[in-house]
Amino acid sequence: MKQKLLTDIELDVHELKYLMESFSKEPTQTLSELLKRSIERMQGRLDELSQEVDAVEVSSLSSVIIQSPEPVVVEEDEEGDSLIEEEKPVITEEVPVVEEEPVIEKKEEPKSAVLGESIKLAAGLRHSISLNDSFRFSRELFKGDTELMNRVVEQISVMSSYKTAVAFLSSKIEIDEEKEAVVDFLELLKKYFNQSA
């Protein structure tokens, strides 16, 4: 469970960097809302991870015990008295014993061909497109113009229906349903609008 949370947090960080980069270039209300949602989602995961860390029982707290210092005798003076150089404290440390959770292996769900199968409403359309798909769509649909793709996706994400989105998309790119990237992008839009309905 902790590893999955850490992986999700790592992905959130990459997503947040990408959104901040886009937002710093062209700040919009939609990007602002996406940033806030992304931050809230990441904060929730961090809180969950913190609770898991707190839940691990520590059988012994670490502590440092300082015992009374022992004088260090360096030499004796002419009259036989001891000269003390310095007093050094003796420090002992107890090491905490942490009980580990039993590892429960989970079966991994099969990964789908089109990433974005599990579109989260709160995250919006932009978050449903994986990094790989983002590069592929930019290259194959938008002729390498990432900024155009981001603007189109942002505008589509606030539209009310799949039909409207496809009409808008066809005004921006050539929709050739024989191209696999076009079919995947349209499938992503169908899933997005079916879930938001």
Side-chain angles (χ1 to χ4, degrees):
M1 182 67 171
K2 285 183 209 143
Q3 189 57 46
K4 182 184 181 323
L5 275 172
L6 289 172
T7 302
D8 288 344
I9 291 168
E10 186 177 355
L11 291 172
D12 287 343
V13 167
H14 291 296
E15 187 176 287
L16 198 57
K17 283 181 182 178
Y18 179 79
L19 283 171
M20 282 303 296
E21 197 174 282
S22 298
F23 186 74
S24 64
K25 290 178 185 172
E26 186 179 332
T28 64
Q29 181 65 30
T30 304
L31 277 176
S32 172
E33 289 172 13
L34 290 175
L35 272 167
K36 288 176 188 174
R37 288 179 190 155
S38 181
I39 291 167
E40 288 170 5
R41 186 176 63 242
M42 188 165 63
Q43 184 62 49
R45 286 186 176 136
L46 288 169
D47 291 343
E48 194 176 332
L49 185 62
S50 179
Q51 288 171 358
E52 283 204 21
V53 169
D54 290 343
V56 175
E57 290 185 31
V58 178
S59 64
S60 153
L61 297 175
S62 67
S63 60
V64 176
I65 301 169
I66 300 178
Q67 298 175 344
S68 58
E70 297 177 5
V72 178
V73 178
V74 175
E75 59 184 72
E76 294 180 357
D77 65 7
E78 296 170 7
E79 289 140 14
D81 293 329
S82 297
L83 295 176
I84 299 174
E85 181 182 85
E86 63 180 287
E87 295 180 348
K88 294 184 180 176
V90 176
I91 299 174
T92 61
E93 185 176 332
E94 292 178 20
V95 179
V97 177
V98 179
E99 294 176 12
E100 292 187 22
E101 295 179 4
V103 176
I104 301 171
E105 292 197 24
K106 296 180 183 175
K107 291 183 181 176
E108 248 185 69
E109 296 177 14
K111 296 187 177 163
S112 61
V114 178
L115 296 174
E117 284 276 332
S118 57
I119 297 175
K120 296 177 183 157
L121 281 178
L125 180 59
R126 177 73 203 118
H127 295 229
S128 67
I129 302 173
S130 73
L131 192 57
N132 287 340
D133 281 341
S134 179
F135 288 127
R136 181 171 66 117
F137 294 151
S138 172
R139 184 180 63 247
E140 294 179 27
L141 303 181
F142 297 89
K143 297 177 183 163
D145 190 344
T146 307
E147 287 186 30
L148 173 63
M149 184 188 78
N150 289 336
R151 283 195 306 271
V152 168
V153 167
E154 185 181 327
Q155 290 169 333
I156 287 175
S157 69
V158 294
M159 292 182 177
S160 59
S161 72
Y162 173 75
K163 204 175 202 178
T164 309
V166 172
F168 173 75
L169 184 63
S170 65
S171 72
K172 299 294 181 187
I173 66 166
E174 179 187 337
I175 298 183
D176 178 3
E177 293 194 27
E178 291 184 13
K179 287 184 177 179
E180 188 180 339
V182 171
V183 173
D184 289 349
F185 194 80
L186 292 175
E187 187 64 29
L188 198 69
L189 292 181
K190 280 181 191 170
K191 289 177 183 172
Y192 175 74
F193 284 104
N194 283 340
Q195 283 193 1
S196 61

